[in-house]
Amino acid sequence: MKIITVVGARPQFIKSAPVSQAIAKAGYAELIVHTGQHYDYGMSKVFFEEMGIKEPLINLNVGSGTHAQQTSQMLVGIEGFLLSHTPDIVLVYGDTNSTLAGALAAVKLGIKLAHIEAGLRSYNRQMPEEHNRVLTDHCSDLLFCPTQTAVNNLDREGIQNGVHLVGDTMYDAVLQFSQLALRNSLILESLDLKPKDYLLATIHRAYNTDSSTVLSSILSAFQQVDETIIFPIHPRTLQAIKASNITIPPNVRLIDPVGYLDMLTLEQNARVILTDSGGIQKEAYFFKVQCLTLRPETEWVETTASGWNILVGTDPAKIIAAINSPLATGLPHSEYFGDGHSSETIVKLLGS
């Protein structure tokens, strides 16, 4: 069996690593297409190096642009690759423009399409990611859902055929790499940090970065916190801060994007994580670290069910209150995301 995997953004590299290992173990051929949606070293190549992902056969080098520019360039490039290599199945991940472009290219050519992380819904149609998820799911032949909630979401939309509850491949990756991170990462030493003595923040969603008012509001909340906040900054966020001349509070330490092992180490040792990233919400849950989500909703509702994740939006008062509130102890921690063998289950289903 020949599988073409389409990736393009940091979370997809993480999700795909254990699946690629399982594909190789099963003896199937995998060709990786990198769209180049994330393209600098800290957001792309370092993940391939640290996680042992084989090099993409092609990098489309699409880079930044509007949604239409990105998606159209990806679609043309992926279609040409599919026509040249005639796979049995195309594998896409998550909810980015790379996901949608890979899905459209496959379905237009009549090639079987599998979507890993199917069925997620935030029900916020202002998010570009929500459109990408819905469209990809309705194109797919095989829908690999990480949670029962995702299965239920698809059922409400009339999608039952090809739906499989498999667990979360990001959980597979965390189990595999978190101990390696603690052994090998020197990020705490290099930043002179002590465990549980700092907060960790990430911001990259368009509705937080494209509005200078919203971005300023979040940073003004950070300024009122009497703790160090480590902020690995996404290139788009840095560009937005510079364009709007937003002042960085003195307690906020901007650092360049870090690799996967360093990020896992920062997450495991943070007192609180503040983020608008879906993947980091999950990783915080896996590590039993309190997460405050800088969004009004989440597609990962499982993380909020027991209080490990709190939706604070972008209101400074809510952010500050949540940071300063005593953290609950002894919260329940259910295994919503599988048993750490989701990747093997997916590959078995691909071959059946």
Side-chain angles (χ1 to χ4, degrees):
M1 180 168 60
K2 183 192 292 185
I3 300 167
I4 287 183
T5 295
V6 178
V7 293
R10 175 193 182 277
Q12 293 165 340
F13 309 145
I14 297 168
K15 296 165 192 170
S16 69
V19 178
S20 291
Q21 291 174 6
I23 289 171
K25 188 175 181 180
Y28 300 140
E30 182 187 29
L31 308 179
I32 298 177
V33 178
H34 186 344
T35 65
Q37 182 172 339
H38 283 172
Y39 48 86
D40 65 12
Y41 179 82
M43 297 291 288
S44 177
K45 189 173 176 59
V46 66
F47 290 87
F48 287 83
E49 294 174 355
E50 289 185 345
M51 304 184 77
I53 308 170
K54 69 178 182 180
E55 285 294 315
L57 196 61
I58 186 173
N59 189 325
L60 301 179
N61 293 308
V62 169
S64 301
T66 67
H67 290 290
Q69 290 169 339
Q70 271 196 341
T71 308
S72 60
Q73 291 177 51
M74 291 172 186
L75 182 55
V76 171
I78 295 168
E79 180 187 63
F81 190 85
L82 297 182
L83 288 169
S84 298
H85 293 86
T86 59
D88 298 295
I89 193 163
V90 171
L91 196 57
V92 297
Y93 290 80
D95 56 19
T96 69
N97 290 339
S98 299
T99 312
L100 180 60
L104 291 176
V107 74
K108 294 289 187 179
L109 293 173
I111 301 170
K112 192 173 184 180
L113 175 67
H115 183 201
I116 292 179
E117 209 175 75
L120 298 192
R121 298 291 184 267
S122 69
Y123 297 102
N124 179 355
R125 288 300 181 96
Q126 294 182 336
M127 289 179 61
E129 295 87 351
E130 186 76 354
H131 298 285
N132 293 343
R133 293 179 194 126
V134 172
L135 292 169
T136 299
D137 283 342
H138 283 263
C139 287
S140 296
D141 301 287
L142 290 170
L143 300 101
F144 297 126
C145 298
T147 65
Q148 184 61 48
T149 302
V151 174
N152 297 343
N153 291 339
L154 293 176
D155 186 62
R156 281 193 291 271
E157 294 175 18
I159 303 175
Q160 291 95 24
N161 292 336
V163 175
H164 300 277
L165 175 60
V166 297
D168 197 311
T169 67
M170 187 171 274
Y171 185 45
D172 295 9
V174 164
L175 290 178
Q176 180 178 345
F177 291 101
S178 58
Q179 291 304 311
L180 180 66
L182 289 176
R183 290 195 303 269
N184 293 354
S185 172
L186 299 175
I187 190 70
L188 296 185
E189 291 84 349
S190 67
L191 296 176
D192 195 23
L193 297 173
K194 296 178 180 178
K196 306 303 177 184
D197 199 33
Y198 63 92
L199 311 184
L200 177 66
T202 75
I203 303 169
H204 78 282
R205 296 284 182 185
Y207 58 78
N208 280 341
T209 61
D210 290 357
S211 166
S212 60
T213 301
V214 170
L215 194 53
S216 295
S217 178
I218 294 172
L219 287 169
S220 71
F222 289 0
Q223 185 173 11
Q224 298 175 63
V225 176
D226 190 24
E227 293 180 80
T228 297
I229 301 177
I230 302 300
F231 189 173
I233 192 155
H234 190 288
R236 178 170 64 194
T237 310
L238 181 59
Q239 184 179 17
I241 287 172
K242 289 180 176 178
S244 299
N245 292 317
I246 297 172
T247 301
I248 303 300
N251 64 318
V252 174
R253 293 177 59 182
L254 295 187
I255 63 173
D256 290 334
V258 297
Y260 185 51
L261 299 184
D262 284 343
M263 194 62 184
L264 290 180
T265 302
L266 287 171
E267 289 170 357
Q268 290 180 78
N269 288 284
R271 187 181 77 80
V272 175
I273 294 174
L274 304 107
T275 188
D276 59 11
S277 162
I280 292 176
Q281 290 174 55
K282 285 189 296 179
E283 288 168 346
Y285 183 82
F286 300 154
F287 291 134
K288 300 182 182 179
V289 175
Q290 181 73 68
C291 182
L292 306 179
T293 293
L294 305 169
R295 291 167 49 186
E297 79 293 306
T298 179
E299 56 277 15
W300 296 108
V301 295
E302 296 83 2
T303 65
T304 65
S306 56
W308 285 102
N309 185 10
I310 300 172
L311 303 178
V312 295
T314 60
D315 178 7
K318 289 183 179 179
I319 296 171
I320 296 163
I323 291 173
N324 292 332
S325 295
L327 301 183
T329 58
L331 294 174
H333 195 270
S334 301
E335 298 299 332
Y336 294 113
F337 299 95
D339 60 2
H341 297 283
S342 305
S343 302
E344 293 96 325
T345 302
I346 287 168
V347 173
K348 287 178 183 177
L349 289 167
L350 289 176
S352 62

